Structures are given as structure tokens and as C-alpha cells.
Amino acid sequence: LEAFASREAQRHGLQVNQRKVLAHATGTHYRRVRVELAVSGHEGEFYRWLDRLQDPTEFRALTSLTISPKRNDDTLVETRVVVEQWHPKAGAEKEKDGGGVLEAKWAELHPVVETSHWPMEVLLQVAKGRPDGELRFSRLEILNEQVPPVGVMRSIMLVGRAGKLDEVMTFRQNLRKNQALDDYKWSLSAPREEARTGHWAFVVQGVYTPREE
């Protein structure tokens, strides 16, 4: 997995600054191989690389994504990702799917199969909420990780600056009104006006809190 992710990054013209094999995670039915990579390069090629990493046909998913655009050129990004691959545990392929086994397997695969929570899809929805003006991000963090026995943990953190306070408030409202992000509870730390620039620094956080059926 590490070799594949690194090779694909280089093929897309990205610089691999760090790579690390993380401890494997073991669930009831699957074992997860996990690697972390820090890469930098052009934003467009970075997103194409992410698209290669997220592949449900290979039981492969992005579970953590951090993006920091360059301050003077937001088409260049510094990033850190965790990509995981699910492998059936020994003997799991012989299990019968009755008695709730199929549902349990599906639950372990949520980061792979629930496409609306893929980091790339979340990024798209966040981008839709940006109002016209000078609102820019300095850091974005998205988590979509399976944590036994708790289950799937999902969160979004958006750090940035805006030219006007109204832009920040509009952005928060747009996130709250976006039905694709309806399962996230949003909070906004008190925006702070920067004396030197007059810009408004903000931190918006979304925590996955699905509504009960």
C-alpha cells in the first residue's frame, strides 16, 4: 500500500516528503493496513492522486486528510493523508452472512462504501458553501475513520481568513443549510479581527452526529 501510494504521488508530479506505515487495525471481520504520507505539489494533481487512492473495488479508502494551501499561491498545497486498505481476516471469507454478520461487515466498511462521506466529496460540499469575497482557507482537516468498538468517527475542521465578518457568518450558514452535510453539527469559534490586515480569522468545526431514524 505504501509503495502504491508513493508511486502514484510521484506519477502525478507530487513530492513525497514523508511516508510512514502505521499500526494495523483489526476489527471483527477485517484487518486494516494503514499508511500516512505527507506530500506537496499542485492542487489539481493532488486531487487526481486522491481519486486514485479512494477505490472501493480495492477496499481502499482515505480516512484522514489535511490540506494547507500555500499562502501566496493557493494552487500549491502541503498535505498529509492516511490511506487504509481492508483485508478479510483469516477464515472470515468462509463465514455465512446470516445472523447479522452481513450488517456487521458492512458497518466495518463504512469509510469505503459510504461515498457521501469520502473526503473528496466533503471537500466539494465545503467549496459550495464559500461565499463571494475574500474567504480563503489556511488549513482543512477531514476525518472519516473506523474506530472499533465506537464505530465510524467523522469530523471537519476549516481554518481560514475572510475580508469581512459577514463572509464568515454566511459561510457557516451555508454549511448548516447544505443537506449533504446535514449529519454534521457545526460550531464557529469567535472570529478574530487581525489588526494588521483587517481580515477576520475563523475556525469552523463540524462533528458527525447523525440523526436517529
Side-chain angles (χ1 to χ4, degrees), residues 142-158:
I142 300 172
L143 183 68
N144 182 30
E145 184 180 10
Q146 190 72 27
V147 183
V150 177
V152 68
M153 294 186 65
R154 295 176 172 133
S155 63
I156 306 166
M157 185 172 75
L158 309 165

Side-chain angles (χ1 to χ4, degrees), residues 1-19 37-42 45-46 48-50 52-53 79 81:
L1 181 60
E2 177 195 6
F4 168 78
S6 298
R7 184 173 63 250
E8 286 297 313
Q10 293 164 356
R11 190 171 71 84
H12 284 82
L14 302 172
Q15 180 176 334
V16 179
N17 301 314
Q18 184 181 10
R19 52 187 180 182
L37 295 96
V39 306
S40 56
H42 192 275
E45 292 302 321
F46 170 69
R48 294 184 184 93
W49 176 59
L50 292 186
R52 286 287 292 140
L53 296 182
T79 68
V81 306

Side-chain angles (χ1 to χ4, degrees), residues 9-165:
Q10 293 164 356
R11 190 171 71 84
H12 284 82
L14 302 172
Q15 180 176 334
V16 179
N17 301 314
Q18 184 181 10
R19 52 187 180 182
K20 179 169 60 175
V21 176
L22 303 177
H24 293 181
T26 302
T28 303
H29 303 283
Y30 294 94
R31 178 177 60 88
R32 288 155 40 214
V33 177
R34 308 163 64 236
V35 298
E36 181 181 62
L37 295 96
V39 306
S40 56
H42 192 275
E43 180 185 35
E45 292 302 321
F46 170 69
Y47 292 138
R48 294 184 184 93
W49 176 59
L50 292 186
D51 191 53
R52 286 287 292 140
L53 296 182
Q54 183 84 49
D55 187 350
T57 65
E58 297 291 335
F59 288 74
R60 194 169 60 233
L62 294 163
T63 58
S64 177
L65 171 63
T66 301
I67 305 175
S68 299
K70 292 281 190 179
R71 183 157 192 159
N72 298 322
D73 184 355
D74 57 11
T75 67
L76 299 176
V77 293
E78 299 277 349
T79 68
R80 186 173 294 274
V81 306
V82 175
V83 58
E84 304 187 21
Q85 193 159 25
W86 278 247
H87 298 274
K89 291 173 64 176
E93 67 278 0
K94 299 179 182 179
E95 292 177 329
K96 295 183 179 180
D97 288 334
V101 172
L102 182 60
E103 292 81 0
K105 288 181 177 180
W106 189 262
E108 282 192 50
L109 292 170
H110 277 172
V112 177
V113 299
E114 293 192 334
T115 60
S116 62
H117 295 288
W118 287 359
M120 285 285 285
E121 179 62 26
V122 171
L123 280 174
L124 175 62
Q125 298 303 327
V126 166
K128 288 180 179 179
R130 280 178 57 178
D132 294 333
E134 301 178 49
L135 189 145
R136 297 291 183 273
F137 301 118
S138 58
R139 186 178 180 89
L140 304 90
E141 297 182 8
I142 300 172
L143 183 68
N144 182 30
E145 184 180 10
Q146 190 72 27
V147 183
V150 177
V152 68
M153 294 186 65
R154 295 176 172 133
S155 63
I156 306 166
M157 185 172 75
L158 309 165
V159 182
R161 291 176 174 80
K164 300 177 181 178
L165 179 59

